[in-house]
Amino acid sequence: MAAVVVRAESDDDLHGLIAVRKAVHPEVMPALENLRHHLRISRQSAYFVARMAEEPVGCGFCGGLPGDEDGPHVRADVSVLAERRRRGIGTALARAVSEHARSLGKAGLTVEAREDVPEASEFLEKRGYVELERQKAVALELQEVQLPDPAPPGGVRIVTRAERPDLERGMYAVGLEAGRDIPGHDADYDQTFEQWRSFEIERPNRPPQWTFVALAGDEVIGYAALEAYGNVVSHGLTAVRRDWRRRGVARALKLSQLGAAQAAGFVRALTENEERNEPMRRLNESLGFQPIPGMIVYRGPLLL
């Protein structure tokens, strides 16, 4: 029986997508409100679900993040339940994703494959995809560690966005500067304030009490946000202004995040960094994070 692939727009289809993602990537399961939000903020994005006898067996995504939608390649993802692989489902989803990308005028896709799923890399490399970069992932078991006090450097205080909702413009300036300095293809684009805000501020799983901002006087010199996925939290970008780096600001922001997540009862914290981002990788290691399988980023052609 061949899988039927449809564009996921109804809540039923999106719930099917969530079920597949939960099985394939249990550590980061999207919520319906987040999927809906992404469709609202990105004019290019589309989700797909593959079913066999009404059972969701695979899912796909194609689209950009706000600010990176003009290049020749578009971000994409294909996931298939482990027990349903090698039956053509991944190929069918990849074709649906490629057709959507082609309708956007794109020449190819940027996709990720888990380091611990060699068949995913094999699938991509056989179709002409080449490795672009690696994202190294780490995890911290929050209920098994005793965290030190955040102790920001002298003259610096840490507040939440809930306490200071007026700091968005300063956060944006710091985020733009930090994004340009991070190794990898994500440094190739700048977001407008509105694009940045739609992703960093408006996402439903980023409540203001979990976004921490470092202030020197009234100037924003850094920020970091948490995202919630069930009983797991994930770190977003930790951004620090260039003239304040290597002075303990990032460490204070990270510890503020972890302390809040621990107090709220979350059991695990996840984060990932491009493998060349040595300063942040060393910081995560010093806080007790342990390596888990990360992602290999590939770039390649559309499927016919």
Side-chain angles (χ1 to χ4, degrees), residues 140 147-148 251 254-255 258 282-289:
L140 181 68
L147 298 169
R251 183 180 181 85
K254 287 258 187 184
L255 284 170
L258 295 171
R282 286 196 300 270
L283 172 57
N284 290 330
E285 183 180 359
S286 75
L287 295 174
F289 281 84

Side-chain angles (χ1 to χ4, degrees), residues 248-265:
V249 177
R251 183 180 181 85
L253 286 166
K254 287 258 187 184
L255 284 170
S256 296
Q257 289 180 309
L258 295 171
Q262 191 180 64

